[in-house]
Every structure is written in C-alpha cells, then in structure tokens.
Amino acid sequence: MTPSLRRKLEALAERREELERLLADPEAAADAGRFRQLSREFAQLEPVANALADEAAAKADLATALAMRNDPELGELAEEEIDAANKRLEQLDAELLAHLVPKDPRDEGDIYLEVRAGTGGDEAAIFAGDLFRMYTRYAERQGWRVEVESASPGEHGGFKEVIARVEGRGAYSRLKFESGTHRVQRVPETESQGRIHTSAATVAIIAVEPEGEPIEINPADLRVDTFRSSGAGGQHVNKTDSAIRITHLPSGVVVESQTERSQHANRDKAMKRLVATLAEAQAAKAAAAMAEDRKLQVGSGDRSQRIRTYNYPQGRITDHRVEGLTLYDLPNVLTGDMDALVERLQQEHQADELARLTRGT
C-alpha cells in the first residue's frame, strides 16, 4: 500500500475517533437529526477501525514470531506463525484498500426500472416481459417493493415497454449494472421449423434520488399531454383523461404516468421520474468523461451496449463485460436467483476501482 493511501486510512481512523467524542457530547444527543447523521457516519467508519486494529494485532504477532525464529526449540513453530501472519496481513491490506473505494451516495436508494422491447418484434416483447419478471422476482427475494408506473403490453404477451419504481434498501447498488442491451437466443413459440431466433430488449436503471446539483427544469421546456389510462384504477379507467405524458423538449426524454386516479398525482409521479432521468444522464456523462476505460459503466443507462446474452438451448447466460462470466443456470436466474450475477459484477467493479486507486488515477 502506498504512503498516500495509508495516510487516507489514518485520516478515516482519526475521523472515527472524533465522531466517538461527538456522539458522547450531550449537545449532539439533543439534536436528533444531527445525532442520526453522526451515528450513520460512525457506523460506516467502524469497519475501517476494526480492520486497522486487526492489522496492528497481526503485525504484533509477526514481530513476536520473528523474535522466536532463531530459537532451536521454537524455530519451526515460529516459521508457521510468520507465514500465517504474512498471509493475514496480505488479506487485511486488500480489505483496507476496499474501504477506500468511494461509496456511491445513490447505492442505498430506490430506482426506476425501465425495460423496453428491442429488435425482434413479438419475441422481443415477450423477452422484455421475461426480464421484467426476473427483476420483480429478484426484488421479492430482497424484500423490495415494486410499483408499475406505466406499461404497454405486447400483442402476444410481454411488454413493448414497462416502467416500475423499485423501493428497497440497496436497490441501486445491486441492480445498477443491469443497464444496457440484453440479447436472447431461443426458438420462439411461433417458430414452426425449430429455428433459433435472436431478439433483444433494453434495460435502464435510474436512481430515484441521485446526489449532486439539483436539476432545474424550465416549464417552457416541457410539453404535457393527457390521455386515457389503460392501467389499474377502477371505473375511471378509459373514461377520464387522467394519464400524463411529459416531454422534455431539449433532451427528447418522455415520461408517462397512468397509475393514479388524478392528473395531479400522475403529473407529480411523472415529474419525479423526469428529474431522476435527467440527473442520471448528467451523472453518467460526468462519469464517462472521468473513466472512459471502465468495463462497467455504472448506472449509465446506455442501452446501445450489448451487455448480456441469454441462450436458452444451452441454458447459458454470458455477461460480455466480464471475462469468464458465464453461468449455466438460466432457468433459476430467470426466476429471480440473480445473486451470482449481481455479486460478481459488484466484485469486478470494486476490483476496477481498487486498480484505479493504486494507480493514483
């Protein structure tokens, strides 16, 4: 570990000690909001302090073992302890480096999940439905809440487009690498000769409350249209123009909401998604400018990049961004068992960030 990285770790440990003193101050306890903020920061720094304490203990063990190395009776045992202490220090070095990887402030937040049929006609819409079902089942496993905000069903099943809000702790951190083009290879039900077809659907993951400068939208840049809802809502469906479509003219971004009973509620939902979409685009542009060599364009929503292939005849899923990331577990993944994929992508991202840190870039 370089001296500059070591200094950063020491600064974090010092900040943790400072937080401990502040939390013991009666004035901090009197301000509930400030106390929560300090407690949250303290909890985030606690693993760093623990790892540094473990490192100090391992260094002490190594020093003790080195002192015994030349002892005729204890020399063999000392060599074993030296080897164990060195391995532990190597492990802790990697752990400490991981604590220096910048945390994305959006990671713990909610997301908008957008799935759209791409090339492939009816089969693409059916595949978009399969993907949406996969994500909703994964969300159920995580204990998250999924609320469909707009949907355009396909003529033979699935969706031409479906947009949902996913609410749950860590939703963005676990699904942010899903943005991009997903390709499927299978024999469609309508194929009489058993030929394998290739279709595609696009996915975008957008943070609900992205950090950074607030997005200001000029009302003159918006075109607002109303139409009759085709979704849930009881007797008012198809009888009142309660659904809202907002077009942001400078960017061409279009958002809709039709799940609420009133125009006002639907407009509020649509505006929130528009702000999140514009903020995500702004964040992705800044991230791309700073890290053009990234294998995983975090939260970019770049749907032109083919990221994954789902091959039904072989029961195979291949993620094209990570070398060797192929799973022969397609049926289980499609039922929401996505942990192997999600965790590998998170590990790859952390490895990329660590490499960037050690390069000093």
Side-chain angles (χ1 to χ4, degrees), residues 33-198:
R34 184 165 181 263
F35 189 81
R36 276 196 305 271
Q37 184 180 1
L38 293 173
S39 299
R40 191 180 302 116
E41 187 180 356
F42 181 84
Q44 290 172 346
L45 293 178
E46 187 73 2
V48 179
N50 291 339
L52 284 170
D54 290 343
E55 183 188 50
K59 285 181 176 179
D61 292 342
L62 178 61
T64 301
L66 286 170
M68 297 189 306
R69 180 179 247 170
N70 296 324
D71 188 303
E73 296 181 2
L74 300 175
E76 187 175 340
L77 176 62
E79 290 296 339
E80 292 178 3
E81 292 186 359
I82 289 170
D83 184 54
N86 279 324
K87 287 181 179 176
R88 178 62 175 150
L89 285 169
E90 186 177 329
Q91 176 188 347
L92 286 166
D93 193 69
E95 187 178 325
L96 286 166
L97 276 173
H99 287 305
L100 289 175
V101 173
K103 301 293 189 294
D104 189 329
R106 301 171 295 178
D107 274 353
E108 293 302 305
D110 306 333
I111 62 169
Y112 290 109
L113 165 66
E114 303 183 354
V115 185
R116 294 178 175 84
T119 56
D122 292 336
E123 171 66 8
I126 293 170
F127 178 51
D130 294 338
L131 287 177
F132 183 68
R133 191 178 307 110
M134 176 181 76
Y135 291 127
T136 54
R137 289 179 176 175
Y138 180 68
E140 289 171 3
R141 288 169 179 253
Q142 303 299 314
W144 300 337
R145 178 173 175 266
V146 179
E147 179 185 1
V148 175
E149 295 213 341
S150 67
S152 176
E155 294 181 8
H156 294 88
F159 297 99
K160 296 177 183 176
E161 175 185 274
V162 57
I163 298 169
R165 177 166 172 149
V166 181
E167 297 178 349
R169 184 173 182 181
Y172 186 78
S173 69
R174 298 193 69 80
L175 291 180
K176 61 185 175 182
F177 301 113
E178 294 301 304
S179 292
T181 297
H182 296 241
R183 183 177 68 170
V184 63
Q185 296 171 329
R186 64 185 176 188
V187 179
E189 294 181 4
T190 55
E191 171 57 57
S192 59
Q193 299 182 24
R195 291 176 297 187
I196 295 174
H197 288 224
T198 298

Side-chain angles (χ1 to χ4, degrees), residues 16 25 28 35 45 47 51 55 123 129 154 179 198 213-214 228 237 252 262-263 266 271 280 312 321 323 331-332 352:
R16 184 256 183 198
D25 187 340
F35 189 81
L45 293 178
E55 183 188 50
E123 171 66 8
S179 292
T198 298
E213 292 296 319
R228 291 187 178 181
V237 171
S262 70
Q263 280 190 17
N266 279 320
M271 280 300 298
E280 186 76 17
Y312 275 67
R321 297 164 294 179
E323 184 177 356
N332 286 326
D352 288 345

Side-chain angles (χ1 to χ4, degrees), residues 209-263:
E209 297 175 351
E211 295 290 326
E213 292 296 319
I215 298 293
E216 294 185 3
I217 299 177
N218 186 344
D221 291 336
L222 302 179
R223 186 178 72 234
V224 181
D225 300 307
T226 60
F227 59 100
R228 291 187 178 181
S229 172
S230 58
Q235 293 182 355
H236 83 291
V237 171
N238 290 325
K239 293 184 179 179
T240 60
D241 290 340
S242 60
I244 292 290
R245 180 185 298 113
I246 300 177
T247 304
H248 183 246
L249 299 174
S251 66
V253 172
V254 179
V255 295
E256 294 181 358
S257 181
Q258 56 178 303
T259 56
E260 301 299 320
R261 286 183 166 275
S262 70
Q263 280 190 17

Side-chain angles (χ1 to χ4, degrees), residues 318-359:
T318 299
D319 196 292
H320 304 290
R321 297 164 294 179
V322 179
E323 184 177 356
L325 182 43
T326 294
L327 303 176
Y328 289 89
D329 194 25
L330 180 59
N332 286 326
V333 172
L334 289 172
T335 58
D337 188 5
M338 295 178 62
D339 283 337
L341 271 175
V342 169
E343 290 168 8
R344 178 66 185 279
L345 290 168
Q346 289 181 321
Q347 290 165 6
E348 288 290 328
H349 172 63
Q350 186 176 71
D352 288 345
E353 291 296 300
L354 285 174
R356 186 176 60 82
L357 260 180
T358 53
R359 290 196 309 265

Side-chain angles (χ1 to χ4, degrees), residues 1-10 100:
M1 187 183 301
T2 65
S4 63
L5 293 178
R6 174 63 61 179
R7 285 193 294 273
K8 289 179 182 178
L9 282 169
E10 291 169 353
L100 289 175

Side-chain angles (χ1 to χ4, degrees), residues 17-30:
E17 292 178 2
E18 180 186 4
L19 288 168
E20 192 170 26
R21 292 193 297 272
L22 289 171
L23 287 168
D25 187 340
E27 289 186 9

